[in-house]
């Protein structure tokens, strides 16, 4: 672990105005920034001092004047913080203000002295509830100085460094937290349950097909091989030809022809038998026959089935051929029959918090398709941004699609999530949107990969970008734009959302709200029409409406609230959702929403069209663990989006250098792998704090009944965007967890899940995980970058322990290798490979590498940890 800073003293950190003239010790992490305009005259360091037992933490911000002249007030230092900071904990002569959401401003009061040239000032503060990793550090610092004339100078970014974290005893989520901070040793112990398997003991394809029969010999594809296909399979044939060309530089002739099958890859439609069952169009099923005599034949029940057969074919190509493409490819002869377990196999991406480019999205779609995922849930709007062009309401994107320093939000929204002062999309991931043409392009791109795009417009909470944009529009005098206001002018309701917004809810009592939705959904439907892609579903959000919203809304007063069992707010939510579902249905689509407000619905709620429920908040002990099953049994179609296993914005493990949230616990790659969609209680071992769950704790929770079982449409991984501040950050959080998600979404129910005895199940699970982890380490990870350009996936840091005078090290995915240095430098692909235990000494740096050369964070093996 990191060495803690020389003690500056606990009480000084609580706000005393310290001047420290010594330079800080070496720092461990540099915050990600997106802007080049920096005022290097002022720089800052954030350092966690400790977490307190009562769900508060103590931290320090050190401001450093690097210039030759004093740093003189007045100035305003803005920054974002995902945890709440208590303004009262900042001592004079500084004053801290909460602007809104995660934006704070620190400024000196009138008495404040300047910071001398080369001097530092330490500002202590208390935050809540916890700070345990790099994602808890403030972000997006920028300075606004004011001339003596009172004129504001242009804002400039202030670089932030994250100081060393304190020792593990201070990194906890209050008194309840039993999850230990990971160490090299704890990783070693966990990794020791795994062992390297010979390549022929690995599943040849991920996700695991229903049945694989090896045949003797090999099948070869070279430039004389032809792709022949039925005319309706042109898209699939082109996809195959194109991918062989791009990846292996093999140019294959492809034409719609009957073909006799010799030296050809033959794509056909037809029924496919799996066991005793015959699969038909719509079942996404395929049979792949690759034998030396008949070459390769892929029969699909539908074009999607053929497409998945092609992806399997790509997956069968040995890794060596990817890395050194030649004039011919050989695969082992094989017969595979395969069909998905679930019809809905989704990945959700939030582009509202931080924008992701079309290019990034397409790369993700390519990788989703390779792993046979078929739903892309595109979270296009939220408090912090609106990302889809709506031609009738241009302010949604001109104002709601940008963030930057602004006194009044008339041109764009205030900064959030580290987006900094510049509203320019080139400089800030806080800004950006998709034009309708771009959106249509993505719809078609996804469709050709058999991926359905589910757009989400998050209402009535999480709607600040729309609320602010429509406020600006309502100021216009040139049109009849007035009635698009989404809040009632006289509404003085007071509330604060989970993300600390005080003005992010649409008024559900105004007709304008539904007219607005009608325009938005109408334009979305229009884009699908122009793309030639059916609009299957529109997701309406519906999550986390803060208590207190609409309480004094004049517009809501006349809405009846007949159910005494529900609060008025809950009834208004339900009222809204029903009306909004009607709008979606009118445009020919199925409505969907997060489950929050569906829990208030009753069996006789009359839906214009019943929404599909995306169920997320299953945190053990919070009371909604069986919500998915209750809703499915009650007649709702359900997509499982369980936070405890499928939230890929959560940190992989409790390591201060590991990015991500952790409100529902930690989610590593094994979490989606072991997830049991049809009996989540199998996964209930300990709660998010690491406390063991009592045996029988969920005995009375609702289980799926047979009809409910039929309504579980599938599972979805969630990439919430708060910390996805670059494509690299997105890829790190996405892979390899998404590969494990695909295994669970596509492959048949695994044997381990069928074992009723927990001990026997654990044994079988460990064995299955070992196989999967081997497939990741030996093949899937190093191939990722060959499939879609450089992919910056996560490689777990190695484990290590000193025993009997030797350093022993191991990896989380067998097949990865470890390289080390002893001179304190970062191990590279040129560093020596760890082959067997090394003589113990201090100063080792270890990193895990895959065959592609991607590496983990470096682990420093220092005393006393491994003594
Ligand atoms: C909860 S899940 C949210 C999101 C956040 C996410 C962060 C859900 C429906 N709402 O707004 O981004 O947690 O993990």
């Amino acid at each position: 672990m990191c060495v803690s800073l020389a003690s500056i003293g606990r009480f000084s950190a609580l706000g005393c105005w310290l001047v420290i003239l010594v330079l800080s010790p070496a720092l461990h992490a540099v915050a990600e920034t997106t802007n080049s305009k920096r005022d290097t005259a002022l720089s800052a360091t954030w350092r966690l001092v400790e977490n307190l037992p009562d769900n508060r933490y103590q931290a320090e911000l050190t401001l450093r004047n690097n210039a030759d002249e004093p740093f003189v007030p007045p100035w305003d230092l803005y920054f974002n913080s995902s945890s709440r900071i208590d303004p009262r904990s900042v001592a004079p002569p500084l004053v801290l203000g909460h602007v809104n959401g995660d934006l704070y401003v620190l400024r000196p009061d009138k008495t404040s002295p300047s910071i001398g040239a080369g001097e530092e000032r330490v500002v202590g503060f208390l935050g809540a509830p916890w700070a345990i990793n790099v994602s808890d550090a403030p972000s997006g610092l920028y300075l606004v100085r004011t001339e003596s004339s009172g004129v504001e100078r242009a804002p400039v970014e202030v670089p932030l460094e994250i100081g060393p974290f304190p020792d593990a005893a201070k990194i906890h989520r209050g008194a309840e937290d039993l999850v230990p901070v990971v160490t090299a040793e704890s990783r070693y112990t966990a990794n020791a349950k795994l062992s390297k398997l010979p390549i022929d003991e690995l599943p040849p394809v991920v996700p695991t097909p229903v049945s694989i029969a090896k045949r003797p010999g090999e099948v070869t594809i070279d430039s004389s091989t032809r792709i022949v296909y039925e005319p309706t399979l042109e898209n699939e044939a082109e996809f195959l030809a194109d991918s062989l060309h791009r990846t292996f530089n093999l140019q294959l002739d492809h034409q719609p022809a009957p073909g006799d099958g010799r030296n050809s890859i033959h794509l056909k439609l037809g029924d496919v038998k799996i066991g005793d069952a015959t699969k038909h169009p719509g079942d996404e099923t395929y049979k792949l026959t690759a034998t030396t005599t008949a070459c390769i034949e892929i029969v699909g029940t539908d074009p999607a089935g053929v497409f998945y057969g092609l992806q399997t074919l790509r997956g069968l190509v040995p890794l060596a051929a990817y890395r050194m493409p030649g004039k011919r490819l050989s695969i082992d002869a094989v017969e595979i029959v395969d069909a998905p377990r679930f019809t809905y196999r989704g990945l959700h991406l939030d582009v509202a918090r931080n924008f992701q480019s079309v290019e990034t999205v397409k790369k993700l779609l390519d990788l989703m398709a390779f792993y046979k995922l078929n739903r892309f849930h595109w979270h296009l709007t939220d408090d912090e941004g609106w990302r889809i062009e709506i031609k009738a309401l241009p302010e949604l994107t001109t104002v709601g699609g940008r963030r930057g320093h602004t006194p009044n939000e008339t041109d764009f929204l205030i900064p959030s999530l580290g987006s900094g002062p510049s509203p320019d999309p080139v400089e800030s991931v806080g800004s950006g949107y998709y034009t309708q043409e771009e959106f249509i392009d993505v719809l078609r791109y996804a469709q050709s990969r058999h991926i359905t795009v589910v757009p989400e417009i998050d209402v009535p909470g999480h709607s600040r970008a729309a609320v602010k944009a429509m406020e600006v529009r309502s100021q216009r005098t040139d049109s009849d734009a007035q009635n698009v206001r989404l809040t009632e002018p006289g509404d003085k309701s007071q509330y604060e959302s989970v993300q600390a917004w005080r003005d992010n809810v649409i008024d559900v009592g105004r007709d304008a709200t539904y007219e607005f939705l009608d325009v938005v959904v109408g334009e979305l439907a229009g884009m699908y029409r122009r793309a030639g892609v059916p609009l299957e579903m529109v997701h309406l959000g519906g999550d986390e409406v803060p208590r207190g919203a609409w309480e004094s809304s004049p517009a809501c007063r006349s809405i009846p609230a007949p159910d005494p069992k529900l609060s008025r707010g809950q009834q208004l939510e339900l009222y809204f959702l029903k009306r909004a579902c009607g709008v979606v249905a009118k445009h020919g689509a199925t409505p969907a929403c997060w489950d929050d407000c569906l829990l208030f619905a009753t069996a006789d709620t009359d839906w214009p069209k019943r929404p599909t429920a995306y169920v997320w908040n299953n945190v053990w002990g919070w009371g909604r663990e069986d919500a998915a099953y209750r809703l499915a049994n009650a007649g709702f179609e359900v997509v499982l989006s369980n936070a405890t296993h499928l939230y890929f914005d959560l940190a992989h493990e409790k390591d201060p250098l590991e990015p991500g949230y952790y409100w529902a616990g930690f989610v590593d790659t094994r979490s989606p792998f072991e997830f049991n969609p049809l009996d989540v209680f199998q996964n209930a071992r300990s709660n998010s704090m690491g406390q063991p769950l009592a045996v029988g704790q969920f005995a009375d929770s609702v289980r799926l009944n047979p009809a409910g079982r039929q309504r579980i449409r599938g599972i979805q991984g969630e990439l919430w965007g708060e910390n996805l501040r670059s494509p690299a950050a997105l890829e790190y959080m996405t892979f390899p967890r998404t590969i494990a998600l695909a295994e669970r979404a596509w492959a048949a129910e695994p044997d381990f899940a069928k074992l009723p005895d927990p001990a026997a199940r654990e044994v079988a699970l460990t064995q299955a995980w070992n196989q999967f982890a081997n497939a990741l380490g030996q093949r899937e990870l190093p191939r990722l970058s060959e499939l879609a350009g450089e992919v910056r996936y996560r490689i777990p840091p190695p484990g290590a322990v000193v025993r009997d005078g030797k350093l022993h090290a191991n990896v989380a995915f067998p097949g990865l290798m470890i390289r080390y240095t002893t001179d304190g430098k970062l191990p590279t692909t040129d560093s020596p490979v760890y082959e067997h235990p090394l003589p113990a000494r201090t100063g080792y740096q270890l990193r895990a590498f895959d065959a592609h050369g991607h590496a983990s964070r470096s682990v420093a093996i220092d005393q006393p940890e491994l003594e």
Side-chain angles (χ1 to χ4, degrees), residues 42-309:
L42 190 74
S43 59
T45 301
W46 175 85
R47 164 178 106 81
L48 169 67
V49 178
E50 65 175 333
N51 285 275
L52 305 169
D54 60 353
N55 292 341
R56 291 181 306 160
Y57 69 89
Q58 189 183 324
E60 287 173 355
L61 196 62
T62 300
L63 305 177
R64 193 174 305 111
N65 179 8
N66 305 310
D68 297 337
E69 25 186 85
F71 185 68
V72 188
W75 47 263
D76 292 337
L77 182 70
Y78 290 88
F79 63 91
N80 302 114
S81 169
S82 58
S83 60
R84 291 166 194 238
I85 301 179
D86 182 356
R88 290 163 310 178
S89 68
V90 173
L94 287 185
V95 182
L96 184 79
H98 175 219
V99 180
N100 207 342
D102 69 344
L103 186 64
Y104 290 84
V105 59
L106 184 71
R107 56 173 69 106
D109 69 15
K110 292 212 169 55
T111 66
S112 183
S114 49
I115 308 177
E119 285 184 1
E120 293 182 344
R121 295 280 161 92
V122 178
V123 188
F125 59 85
L126 290 171
W130 319 297
I132 64 167
N133 73 24
V134 286
S135 298
D136 291 314
S139 58
L141 277 73
Y142 68 93
L143 187 71
V144 180
R145 304 183 76 171
T146 310
E147 305 283 359
S148 46
S149 63
V151 174
E152 257 193 16
R153 284 200 224 157
V156 276
E157 280 194 24
V158 175
L160 176 77
E161 289 183 340
I162 298 174
F165 280 83
D167 50 56
K170 294 175 176 168
I171 300 176
H172 58 77
R173 294 164 292 167
E176 285 179 31
D177 192 359
L178 299 185
V179 177
V181 172
V182 290
T183 60
E185 192 161 9
S186 67
R187 286 195 181 104
Y188 184 89
T189 308
N191 297 346
K193 295 189 184 130
L194 306 176
S195 56
K196 189 160 177 200
L197 298 174
I199 192 100
D200 59 356
E201 282 181 27
L202 307 185
V205 178
V206 171
T208 308
V210 171
S211 89
I212 301 180
K214 289 192 176 173
R215 298 284 177 245
E218 286 190 335
V219 181
T220 300
I221 303 170
D222 60 24
S223 54
S224 69
T225 308
R226 292 182 319 145
I227 301 172
V228 291
Y229 58 93
E230 293 183 14
T232 46
L233 297 173
E234 176 145 5
N235 169 59
E236 287 62 41
E238 268 179 11
F239 179 87
L240 176 61
D242 184 54
S243 68
L244 289 174
H245 184 216
R246 261 186 301 117
T247 319
F248 305 108
N249 203 21
L250 264 184
Q251 216 145 4
L252 264 53
D253 188 28
H254 55 290
Q255 41 191 263
D260 63 0
R262 295 205 67 84
N263 196 19
S264 63
I265 304 174
H266 196 179
L267 312 182
K268 289 191 205 170
L269 292 176
D271 289 346
V272 175
K273 276 198 93 135
I274 295 201
D276 293 337
T278 303
K279 298 284 189 170
H280 303 294
D283 289 337
E284 305 175 279
T285 301
Y286 69 91
K287 177 171 182 190
L288 182 151
T289 315
T291 60
T292 36
T293 48
C295 256
I296 298 172
E297 183 185 76
I298 297 172
V299 182
T301 51
D302 37 40
V306 173
F307 183 75
Y308 296 129

Side-chain angles (χ1 to χ4, degrees), residues 347-407:
L347 192 63
H348 159 278
L349 177 65
D350 162 17
V351 294
R353 271 53 180 275
N354 285 297
F355 185 65
Q356 306 293 341
S357 68
V358 167
E359 191 193 337
T360 300
V361 168
K362 285 185 171 174
K363 188 170 167 187
L364 192 60
L365 291 172
D366 281 335
L367 293 168
M368 284 174 64
F370 182 77
Y371 287 106
K372 305 187 175 89
L373 297 176
N374 68 349
R375 290 290 186 288
F376 178 56
H377 175 172
W378 209 355
H379 188 85
L380 293 164
T381 75
D382 213 298
D383 297 321
E384 299 84 357
W386 182 286
R387 307 302 184 187
I388 178 70
E389 178 187 23
I390 301 297
K391 294 216 193 258
L393 304 169
E395 291 82 0
L396 284 173
T397 41
T398 56
V399 177
R402 294 189 300 156
R403 301 201 291 262
H405 177 63
T406 165

Side-chain angles (χ1 to χ4, degrees), residues 353 462 499 543-544 594 616 647 649 661 663 720 722:
R353 271 53 180 275
H462 283 283
Q499 287 81 4
D543 54 318
E544 298 182 323
W594 300 107
W616 60 284
Y647 263 39
D649 61 314
Y661 287 164
W663 61 268
W720 292 100
E722 290 93 332

